[in-house]
Amino acid sequence: MNPSVRTQDRLVVGLTGGIGSGKSTVAGLFAELGAAIVDTDDIAHRLTQSRGDAIPALRAEFGDRYIDGDDALDRAAMRALAFSDSSARHKLERLLHPLILARAEAELAQADAAPYAILVVPLLAQAPAFRRLVQRVLVVDCDEATQLARVVRRSRLTGEEARAIVATQTPRTERLALADDVISNDGDLDSLADQVDALHRNYLKNSD
Ligand SMILES: Nc1ncnc2c1ncn2[C@@H]1O[C@H](COP(=O)(O)OP(=O)(O)OP(=O)(O)O)[C@@H](O)[C@H]1O
Ligand SMILES: [Mg+2]
């Protein structure tokens, strides 16, 4: 049986949301309840770290100036390029997405002891290829002012920089249109945990 067939045996929920919406916090709460978590951001990070599997292809495509002395992707240089040049961004996505997909599929197949799995895909709305790995889409949503305040508090970004990133992402209404389930993260962490508990019970029912 190939891995894509195996992952269909069990419920896989795609978890998405804008920057700083609360995806990692929500994934942590599902993990505490026993869900398997596969995070495509972590996978992308590993693929592009020192001697990661994507490094040779990145070097061939973009040249040595985007690879640092440790054989890792120079993230700051690549971020600047991708931000200013949409064709370079598309090239980067065409190179990385199939590698991330394959790795995500393998990790989902490996984590088959858990009753269901949560696949964290921040770019799910922009990258439809990931949708074939999931049976449901869960969107973490919050008010844009709350989102910006949390991003600024957590990082060294200014409000202006955070707004610029949000502007490059899929608009909130488009993301919500993909959702089978929505978690509203405008309240406190207790409210978040209550919503995760309720969805967990549903997902357990859907996972047999
Ligand atoms: N309900 C909440 N109340 C207070 N703080 C919160 C709440 N939800 C999330 N946060 C905080 O907001 C920040 C962003 O949350 P988190 O890292 O979970 O978002 P994310 O969607 O994973 O972000 P990214 O897109 O950067 O991966 C974190 O510092 C987190 O601790
Ligand atoms: Mg996160």
Side-chain angles (χ1 to χ4, degrees), residues 15-36:
L15 171 61
T16 193
I19 180 174
S21 56
K23 299 176 295 294
S24 297
T25 309
V26 166
L29 292 166
F30 276 111
E32 281 174 24
L33 297 173

mmCIF file with all atom_site columns, all heavy atoms in Angstrom, residues 15-36:
data_model
loop_
_atom_site.group_PDB
_atom_site.id
_atom_site.type_symbol
_atom_site.label_atom_id
_atom_site.label_alt_id
_atom_site.label_comp_id
_atom_site.label_asym_id
_atom_site.label_entity_id
_atom_site.label_seq_id
_atom_site.pdbx_PDB_ins_code
_atom_site.Cartn_x
_atom_site.Cartn_y
_atom_site.Cartn_z
_atom_site.occupancy
_atom_site.B_iso_or_equiv
_atom_site.pdbx_formal_charge
_atom_site.auth_seq_id
_atom_site.auth_comp_id
_atom_site.auth_asym_id
_atom_site.auth_atom_id
_atom_site.pdbx_PDB_model_num
ATOM 1   N N   . LEU A 1 15 ? -4.882 21.957 9.565  1.00 0.00 ? 15 LEU A N   1
ATOM 2   C CA  . LEU A 1 15 ? -5.031 23.113 10.454 1.00 0.00 ? 15 LEU A CA  1
ATOM 3   C C   . LEU A 1 15 ? -4.324 24.302 9.820  1.00 0.00 ? 15 LEU A C   1
ATOM 4   O O   . LEU A 1 15 ? -3.128 24.243 9.528  1.00 0.00 ? 15 LEU A O   1
ATOM 5   C CB  . LEU A 1 15 ? -4.408 22.788 11.818 1.00 0.00 ? 15 LEU A CB  1
ATOM 6   C CG  . LEU A 1 15 ? -4.260 23.921 12.838 1.00 0.00 ? 15 LEU A CG  1
ATOM 7   C CD1 . LEU A 1 15 ? -5.602 24.522 13.209 1.00 0.00 ? 15 LEU A CD1 1
ATOM 8   C CD2 . LEU A 1 15 ? -3.552 23.417 14.092 1.00 0.00 ? 15 LEU A CD2 1
ATOM 9   N N   . THR A 1 16 ? -5.075 25.375 9.586  1.00 0.00 ? 16 THR A N   1
ATOM 10  C CA  . THR A 1 16 ? -4.476 26.545 8.962  1.00 0.00 ? 16 THR A CA  1
ATOM 11  C C   . THR A 1 16 ? -4.967 27.823 9.630  1.00 0.00 ? 16 THR A C   1
ATOM 12  O O   . THR A 1 16 ? -5.853 27.793 10.498 1.00 0.00 ? 16 THR A O   1
ATOM 13  C CB  . THR A 1 16 ? -4.727 26.535 7.429  1.00 0.00 ? 16 THR A CB  1
ATOM 14  O OG1 . THR A 1 16 ? -3.885 27.502 6.804  1.00 0.00 ? 16 THR A OG1 1
ATOM 15  C CG2 . THR A 1 16 ? -6.183 26.797 7.071  1.00 0.00 ? 16 THR A CG2 1
ATOM 16  N N   . GLY A 1 17 ? -4.389 28.933 9.232  1.00 0.00 ? 17 GLY A N   1
ATOM 17  C CA  . GLY A 1 17 ? -4.740 30.227 9.817  1.00 0.00 ? 17 GLY A CA  1
ATOM 18  C C   . GLY A 1 17 ? -3.646 31.220 9.449  1.00 0.00 ? 17 GLY A C   1
ATOM 19  O O   . GLY A 1 17 ? -2.557 30.807 9.052  1.00 0.00 ? 17 GLY A O   1
ATOM 20  N N   . GLY A 1 18 ? -3.918 32.477 9.585  1.00 0.00 ? 18 GLY A N   1
ATOM 21  C CA  . GLY A 1 18 ? -2.927 33.504 9.260  1.00 0.00 ? 18 GLY A CA  1
ATOM 22  C C   . GLY A 1 18 ? -1.769 33.507 10.256 1.00 0.00 ? 18 GLY A C   1
ATOM 23  O O   . GLY A 1 18 ? -1.800 32.802 11.270 1.00 0.00 ? 18 GLY A O   1
ATOM 24  N N   . ILE A 1 19 ? -0.769 34.329 9.974  1.00 0.00 ? 19 ILE A N   1
ATOM 25  C CA  . ILE A 1 19 ? 0.383  34.451 10.870 1.00 0.00 ? 19 ILE A CA  1
ATOM 26  C C   . ILE A 1 19 ? -0.100 34.854 12.267 1.00 0.00 ? 19 ILE A C   1
ATOM 27  O O   . ILE A 1 19 ? -0.962 35.731 12.407 1.00 0.00 ? 19 ILE A O   1
ATOM 28  C CB  . ILE A 1 19 ? 1.415  35.475 10.325 1.00 0.00 ? 19 ILE A CB  1
ATOM 29  C CG1 . ILE A 1 19 ? 2.613  35.584 11.280 1.00 0.00 ? 19 ILE A CG1 1
ATOM 30  C CG2 . ILE A 1 19 ? 0.791  36.844 10.074 1.00 0.00 ? 19 ILE A CG2 1
ATOM 31  C CD1 . ILE A 1 19 ? 3.742  36.456 10.745 1.00 0.00 ? 19 ILE A CD1 1
ATOM 32  N N   . GLY A 1 20 ? 0.406  34.161 13.275 1.00 0.00 ? 20 GLY A N   1
ATOM 33  C CA  . GLY A 1 20 ? 0.093  34.531 14.656 1.00 0.00 ? 20 GLY A CA  1
ATOM 34  C C   . GLY A 1 20 ? -1.351 34.302 15.073 1.00 0.00 ? 20 GLY A C   1
ATOM 35  O O   . GLY A 1 20 ? -1.784 34.775 16.126 1.00 0.00 ? 20 GLY A O   1
ATOM 36  N N   . SER A 1 21 ? -2.114 33.545 14.274 1.00 0.00 ? 21 SER A N   1
ATOM 37  C CA  . SER A 1 21 ? -3.535 33.345 14.615 1.00 0.00 ? 21 SER A CA  1
ATOM 38  C C   . SER A 1 21 ? -3.698 32.387 15.799 1.00 0.00 ? 21 SER A C   1
ATOM 39  O O   . SER A 1 21 ? -4.739 32.389 16.452 1.00 0.00 ? 21 SER A O   1
ATOM 40  C CB  . SER A 1 21 ? -4.292 32.806 13.396 1.00 0.00 ? 21 SER A CB  1
ATOM 41  O OG  . SER A 1 21 ? -3.682 31.616 12.936 1.00 0.00 ? 21 SER A OG  1
ATOM 42  N N   . GLY A 1 22 ? -2.672 31.550 16.036 1.00 0.00 ? 22 GLY A N   1
ATOM 43  C CA  . GLY A 1 22 ? -2.743 30.600 17.152 1.00 0.00 ? 22 GLY A CA  1
ATOM 44  C C   . GLY A 1 22 ? -2.612 29.141 16.734 1.00 0.00 ? 22 GLY A C   1
ATOM 45  O O   . GLY A 1 22 ? -2.919 28.244 17.517 1.00 0.00 ? 22 GLY A O   1
ATOM 46  N N   . LYS A 1 23 ? -2.114 28.896 15.514 1.00 0.00 ? 23 LYS A N   1
ATOM 47  C CA  . LYS A 1 23 ? -2.006 27.513 15.012 1.00 0.00 ? 23 LYS A CA  1
ATOM 48  C C   . LYS A 1 23 ? -1.162 26.633 15.927 1.00 0.00 ? 23 LYS A C   1
ATOM 49  O O   . LYS A 1 23 ? -1.560 25.516 16.271 1.00 0.00 ? 23 LYS A O   1
ATOM 50  C CB  . LYS A 1 23 ? -1.390 27.490 13.592 1.00 0.00 ? 23 LYS A CB  1
ATOM 51  C CG  . LYS A 1 23 ? -2.186 28.239 12.559 1.00 0.00 ? 23 LYS A CG  1
ATOM 52  C CD  . LYS A 1 23 ? -1.473 28.257 11.221 1.00 0.00 ? 23 LYS A CD  1
ATOM 53  C CE  . LYS A 1 23 ? -0.163 29.013 11.217 1.00 0.00 ? 23 LYS A CE  1
ATOM 54  N NZ  . LYS A 1 23 ? -0.293 30.472 11.441 1.00 0.00 ? 23 LYS A NZ  1
ATOM 55  N N   . SER A 1 24 ? 0.026  27.121 16.319 1.00 0.00 ? 24 SER A N   1
ATOM 56  C CA  . SER A 1 24 ? 0.923  26.289 17.134 1.00 0.00 ? 24 SER A CA  1
ATOM 57  C C   . SER A 1 24 ? 0.320  26.049 18.510 1.00 0.00 ? 24 SER A C   1
ATOM 58  O O   . SER A 1 24 ? 0.430  24.952 19.065 1.00 0.00 ? 24 SER A O   1
ATOM 59  C CB  . SER A 1 24 ? 2.299  26.950 17.272 1.00 0.00 ? 24 SER A CB  1
ATOM 60  O OG  . SER A 1 24 ? 2.902  27.066 16.004 1.00 0.00 ? 24 SER A OG  1
ATOM 61  N N   . THR A 1 25 ? -0.330 27.066 19.062 1.00 0.00 ? 25 THR A N   1
ATOM 62  C CA  . THR A 1 25 ? -0.979 26.920 20.368 1.00 0.00 ? 25 THR A CA  1
ATOM 63  C C   . THR A 1 25 ? -2.080 25.863 20.279 1.00 0.00 ? 25 THR A C   1
ATOM 64  O O   . THR A 1 25 ? -2.186 24.975 21.146 1.00 0.00 ? 25 THR A O   1
ATOM 65  C CB  . THR A 1 25 ? -1.568 28.276 20.821 1.00 0.00 ? 25 THR A CB  1
ATOM 66  O OG1 . THR A 1 25 ? -0.540 29.270 20.720 1.00 0.00 ? 25 THR A OG1 1
ATOM 67  C CG2 . THR A 1 25 ? -2.072 28.208 22.245 1.00 0.00 ? 25 THR A CG2 1
ATOM 68  N N   . VAL A 1 26 ? -2.897 25.937 19.238 1.00 0.00 ? 26 VAL A N   1
ATOM 69  C CA  . VAL A 1 26 ? -3.983 24.969 19.040 1.00 0.00 ? 26 VAL A CA  1
ATOM 70  C C   . VAL A 1 26 ? -3.411 23.567 18.822 1.00 0.00 ? 26 VAL A C   1
ATOM 71  O O   . VAL A 1 26 ? -3.896 22.584 19.404 1.00 0.00 ? 26 VAL A O   1
ATOM 72  C CB  . VAL A 1 26 ? -4.880 25.411 17.850 1.00 0.00 ? 26 VAL A CB  1
ATOM 73  C CG1 . VAL A 1 26 ? -5.789 24.293 17.385 1.00 0.00 ? 26 VAL A CG1 1
ATOM 74  C CG2 . VAL A 1 26 ? -5.697 26.637 18.246 1.00 0.00 ? 26 VAL A CG2 1
ATOM 75  N N   . ALA A 1 27 ? -2.361 23.454 18.004 1.00 0.00 ? 27 ALA A N   1
ATOM 76  C CA  . ALA A 1 27 ? -1.757 22.141 17.754 1.00 0.00 ? 27 ALA A CA  1
ATOM 77  C C   . ALA A 1 27 ? -1.252 21.541 19.069 1.00 0.00 ? 27 ALA A C   1
ATOM 78  O O   . ALA A 1 27 ? -1.408 20.342 19.316 1.00 0.00 ? 27 ALA A O   1
ATOM 79  C CB  . ALA A 1 27 ? -0.619 22.265 16.738 1.00 0.00 ? 27 ALA A CB  1
ATOM 80  N N   . GLY A 1 28 ? -0.677 22.383 19.925 1.00 0.00 ? 28 GLY A N   1
ATOM 81  C CA  . GLY A 1 28 ? -0.194 21.907 21.229 1.00 0.00 ? 28 GLY A CA  1
ATOM 82  C C   . GLY A 1 28 ? -1.327 21.354 22.081 1.00 0.00 ? 28 GLY A C   1
ATOM 83  O O   . GLY A 1 28 ? -1.166 20.331 22.760 1.00 0.00 ? 28 GLY A O   1
ATOM 84  N N   . LEU A 1 29 ? -2.489 22.010 22.030 1.00 0.00 ? 29 LEU A N   1
ATOM 85  C CA  . LEU A 1 29 ? -3.655 21.531 22.804 1.00 0.00 ? 29 LEU A CA  1
ATOM 86  C C   . LEU A 1 29 ? -4.156 20.196 22.252 1.00 0.00 ? 29 LEU A C   1
ATOM 87  O O   . LEU A 1 29 ? -4.482 19.279 23.021 1.00 0.00 ? 29 LEU A O   1
ATOM 88  C CB  . LEU A 1 29 ? -4.772 22.586 22.775 1.00 0.00 ? 29 LEU A CB  1
ATOM 89  C CG  . LEU A 1 29 ? -4.469 23.883 23.533 1.00 0.00 ? 29 LEU A CG  1
ATOM 90  C CD1 . LEU A 1 29 ? -5.477 24.979 23.166 1.00 0.00 ? 29 LEU A CD1 1
ATOM 91  C CD2 . LEU A 1 29 ? -4.490 23.642 25.048 1.00 0.00 ? 29 LEU A CD2 1
ATOM 92  N N   . PHE A 1 30 ? -4.206 20.046 20.921 1.00 0.00 ? 30 PHE A N   1
ATOM 93  C CA  . PHE A 1 30 ? -4.605 18.758 20.339 1.00 0.00 ? 30 PHE A CA  1
ATOM 94  C C   . PHE A 1 30 ? -3.597 17.661 20.703 1.00 0.00 ? 30 PHE A C   1
ATOM 95  O O   . PHE A 1 30 ? -3.986 16.524 20.977 1.00 0.00 ? 30 PHE A O   1
ATOM 96  C CB  . PHE A 1 30 ? -4.728 18.857 18.811 1.00 0.00 ? 30 PHE A CB  1
ATOM 97  C CG  . PHE A 1 30 ? -6.044 19.385 18.327 1.00 0.00 ? 30 PHE A CG  1
ATOM 98  C CD1 . PHE A 1 30 ? -6.137 20.632 17.734 1.00 0.00 ? 30 PHE A CD1 1
ATOM 99  C CD2 . PHE A 1 30 ? -7.201 18.620 18.453 1.00 0.00 ? 30 PHE A CD2 1
ATOM 100 C CE1 . PHE A 1 30 ? -7.365 21.117 17.281 1.00 0.00 ? 30 PHE A CE1 1
ATOM 101 C CE2 . PHE A 1 30 ? -8.432 19.091 18.002 1.00 0.00 ? 30 PHE A CE2 1
ATOM 102 C CZ  . PHE A 1 30 ? -8.510 20.347 17.416 1.00 0.00 ? 30 PHE A CZ  1
ATOM 103 N N   . ALA A 1 31 ? -2.319 18.013 20.716 1.00 0.00 ? 31 ALA A N   1
ATOM 104 C CA  . ALA A 1 31 ? -1.291 17.017 21.058 1.00 0.00 ? 31 ALA A CA  1
ATOM 105 C C   . ALA A 1 31 ? -1.503 16.510 22.482 1.00 0.00 ? 31 ALA A C   1
ATOM 106 O O   . ALA A 1 31 ? -1.374 15.306 22.745 1.00 0.00 ? 31 ALA A O   1
ATOM 107 C CB  . ALA A 1 31 ? 0.108  17.633 20.907 1.00 0.00 ? 31 ALA A CB  1
ATOM 108 N N   . GLU A 1 32 ? -1.853 17.428 23.401 1.00 0.00 ? 32 GLU A N   1
ATOM 109 C CA  . GLU A 1 32 ? -2.099 17.013 24.797 1.00 0.00 ? 32 GLU A CA  1
ATOM 110 C C   . GLU A 1 32 ? -3.242 16.015 24.888 1.00 0.00 ? 32 GLU A C   1
ATOM 111 O O   . GLU A 1 32 ? -3.283 15.183 25.790 1.00 0.00 ? 32 GLU A O   1
ATOM 112 C CB  . GLU A 1 32 ? -2.453 18.229 25.663 1.00 0.00 ? 32 GLU A CB  1
ATOM 113 C CG  . GLU A 1 32 ? -1.255 19.049 26.070 1.00 0.00 ? 32 GLU A CG  1
ATOM 114 C CD  . GLU A 1 32 ? -1.684 20.328 26.809 1.00 0.00 ? 32 GLU A CD  1
ATOM 115 O OE1 . GLU A 1 32 ? -2.787 20.344 27.387 1.00 0.00 ? 32 GLU A OE1 1
ATOM 116 O OE2 . GLU A 1 32 ? -0.904 21.289 26.761 1.00 0.00 ? 32 GLU A OE2 1
ATOM 117 N N   . LEU A 1 33 ? -4.183 16.090 23.936 1.00 0.00 ? 33 LEU A N   1
ATOM 118 C CA  . LEU A 1 33 ? -5.330 15.178 23.944 1.00 0.00 ? 33 LEU A CA  1
ATOM 119 C C   . LEU A 1 33 ? -5.034 13.873 23.195 1.00 0.00 ? 33 LEU A C   1
ATOM 120 O O   . LEU A 1 33 ? -5.897 12.998 23.115 1.00 0.00 ? 33 LEU A O   1
ATOM 121 C CB  . LEU A 1 33 ? -6.556 15.874 23.324 1.00 0.00 ? 33 LEU A CB  1
ATOM 122 C CG  . LEU A 1 33 ? -7.052 17.114 24.086 1.00 0.00 ? 33 LEU A CG  1
ATOM 123 C CD1 . LEU A 1 33 ? -8.155 17.823 23.308 1.00 0.00 ? 33 LEU A CD1 1
ATOM 124 C CD2 . LEU A 1 33 ? -7.553 16.727 25.475 1.00 0.00 ? 33 LEU A CD2 1
ATOM 125 N N   . GLY A 1 34 ? -3.844 13.776 22.611 1.00 0.00 ? 34 GLY A N   1
ATOM 126 C CA  . GLY A 1 34 ? -3.450 12.499 21.988 1.00 0.00 ? 34 GLY A CA  1
ATOM 127 C C   . GLY A 1 34 ? -3.462 12.473 20.477 1.00 0.00 ? 34 GLY A C   1
ATOM 128 O O   . GLY A 1 34 ? -3.214 11.425 19.872 1.00 0.00 ? 34 GLY A O   1
ATOM 129 N N   . ALA A 1 35 ? -3.741 13.615 19.838 1.00 0.00 ? 35 ALA A N   1
ATOM 130 C CA  . ALA A 1 35 ? -3.686 13.643 18.369 1.00 0.00 ? 35 ALA A CA  1
ATOM 131 C C   . ALA A 1 35 ? -2.228 13.610 17.916 1.00 0.00 ? 35 ALA A C   1
ATOM 132 O O   . ALA A 1 35 ? -1.340 14.103 18.615 1.00 0.00 ? 35 ALA A O   1
ATOM 133 C CB  . ALA A 1 35 ? -4.349 14.919 17.852 1.00 0.00 ? 35 ALA A CB  1
ATOM 134 N N   . ALA A 1 36 ? -1.997 13.028 16.737 1.00 0.00 ? 36 ALA A N   1
ATOM 135 C CA  . ALA A 1 36 ? -0.665 13.118 16.127 1.00 0.00 ? 36 ALA A CA  1
ATOM 136 C C   . ALA A 1 36 ? -0.583 14.475 15.436 1.00 0.00 ? 36 ALA A C   1
ATOM 137 O O   . ALA A 1 36 ? -1.546 14.908 14.802 1.00 0.00 ? 36 ALA A O   1
ATOM 138 C CB  . ALA A 1 36 ? -0.489 12.010 15.103 1.00 0.00 ? 36 ALA A CB  1
#
